[in-house]
Amino acid sequence: EDKVVQSPLSLVVHEGDTVTLNCSYEVTNFRSLLWYKQEKKAPTFLFMLTSSGIEKKSGRLSSILDKKELFSILNITATQTGDSAVYLCAVESSGGGADGLTFGKGTHLIIQP
Amino acid sequence: EPEVTQTPSHQVTQMGQEVILRCVPISNHLYFYWYRQILGQKVEFLVSFYNNEISEKSEIFDDQFSVERPDGSNFTLKIRSTKLEDSAMYFCASRQFYEQYFGPGTRLTVT
């Protein structure tokens, strides 16, 4: 059974701090790892990672995948209150294009002003 | 920017009743999905749909559930006889090539 474990489960920091969120996984036939941000409702897509060691970056957010050690990190620098959300890590196995994602429980990030 | 839409946003139903949750995926997407998230728990995969048939389903997706794409735009999830434990947020997602895009969800409350 595919498994995704995120840590920490919750994190409270002050505005301006840098945070690192962790995601480890066990999955047969790994295809990709995705990060989503969930505020009130729908998860919104952040990154998709398929190759080890290649950093993906979008503004203050960045992410990298280690396929040997089976984990990924999501970094957020110079955090703002608008970054407060649940960050979800999900993995996809390569049974075919229509495979469902296996999600972790998420990291609940709170940014205090 | 195109987005996945879902209706209704909130549905309240009595135990044993049938419900149909509706989704309009992003046009030109080929793969469609339903997920659910019970309050306080993780997002769980239910079913995927491609080329007018189910591609994959999880253990949660038992005979009480069915999916349909009745026309070129809608994608529906039907729960035949709802149980209390079906209360959850139900998300639809669609995909063209790589990443899945999620709709805003339907909150289903079974009383």
Side-chain angles (χ1 to χ4, degrees):
Chain A
E1 186 185 322
D2 296 348
K3 196 169 153 186
V4 177
V5 178
Q6 292 187 245
S7 64
L9 290 181
S10 66
L11 184 58
V12 181
V13 299
H14 287 103
E15 213 168 10
D17 289 350
T18 292
V19 297
T20 298
L21 310 183
N22 303 293
C23 175
S24 64
Y25 62 90
E26 291 174 30
V27 60
T28 50
N29 302 317
F30 174 87
R31 179 176 176 151
S32 63
L33 183 145
L34 298 94
W35 285 95
Y36 287 87
K37 178 182 181 183
Q38 186 176 29
E39 295 176 90
K40 296 238 166 78
K41 285 193 175 178
T44 52
F45 173 77
L46 294 175
F47 297 112
M48 182 168 124
L49 303 152
T50 54
S51 301
S52 265
I54 299 174
E55 186 183 52
K56 294 252 178 138
K57 204 167 164 59
S58 176
R60 295 175 294 102
L61 277 67
S62 63
S63 183
I64 197 159
L65 174 68
D66 185 329
K67 287 168 77 172
K68 186 179 172 191
E69 300 297 330
L70 307 182
F71 79 90
S72 173
I73 59 171
L74 175 68
N75 277 320
I76 309 175
T77 58
T79 50
Q80 301 170 357
T81 53
D83 295 327
S84 295
V86 176
Y87 289 83
L88 302 174
C89 175
V91 294
E92 181 185 21
S93 57
S94 60
D99 281 350
L101 300 174
T102 300
F103 280 86
K105 289 185 178 178
T107 292
H108 189 189
L109 177 64
I110 297 172
I111 311 296
Q112 291 181 336
Chain B
E1 189 176 324
E3 55 185 23
V4 178
T5 59
Q6 291 185 243
T7 53
S9 57
H10 191 189
Q11 172 102 39
V12 181
T13 190
Q14 288 192 327
M15 204 164 55
Q17 296 295 306
E18 174 183 288
V19 294
I20 297 176
L21 310 183
R22 291 185 167 79
C23 168
V24 179
I26 297 172
S27 65
N28 80 356
H29 281 198
L30 303 174
Y31 304 93
F32 314 112
Y33 307 81
W34 283 101
Y35 293 83
R36 78 170 185 193
Q37 186 174 31
I38 294 170
L39 190 63
Q41 297 187 25
K42 61 182 180 179
V43 177
E44 299 173 291
F45 168 70
L46 293 177
V47 66
S48 60
F49 194 85
Y50 170 71
N51 203 23
N52 284 319
E53 60 183 22
I54 290 174
S55 294
E56 187 192 10
K57 57 185 181 179
S58 71
E59 291 170 356
I60 304 166
F61 194 88
D62 60 22
D63 292 342
Q64 295 279 70
F65 293 89
S66 63
V67 289
E68 201 176 35
R69 189 155 159 84
D71 52 44
S73 57
N74 288 286
F75 179 50
T76 62
L77 174 70
K78 184 194 288 186
I79 310 175
R80 282 191 191 81
S81 177
T82 49
K83 305 189 276 277
L84 293 175
E85 53 264 37
D86 293 327
S87 294
M89 183 73 96
Y90 287 82
F91 292 109
C92 172
S94 71
R95 164 191 183 154
Q96 186 180 26
F97 297 120
Y98 303 115
E99 61 270 18
Q100 294 180 28
Y101 290 92
F102 284 76
T106 293
R107 178 163 296 287
L108 176 65
T109 302
V110 182
T111 61

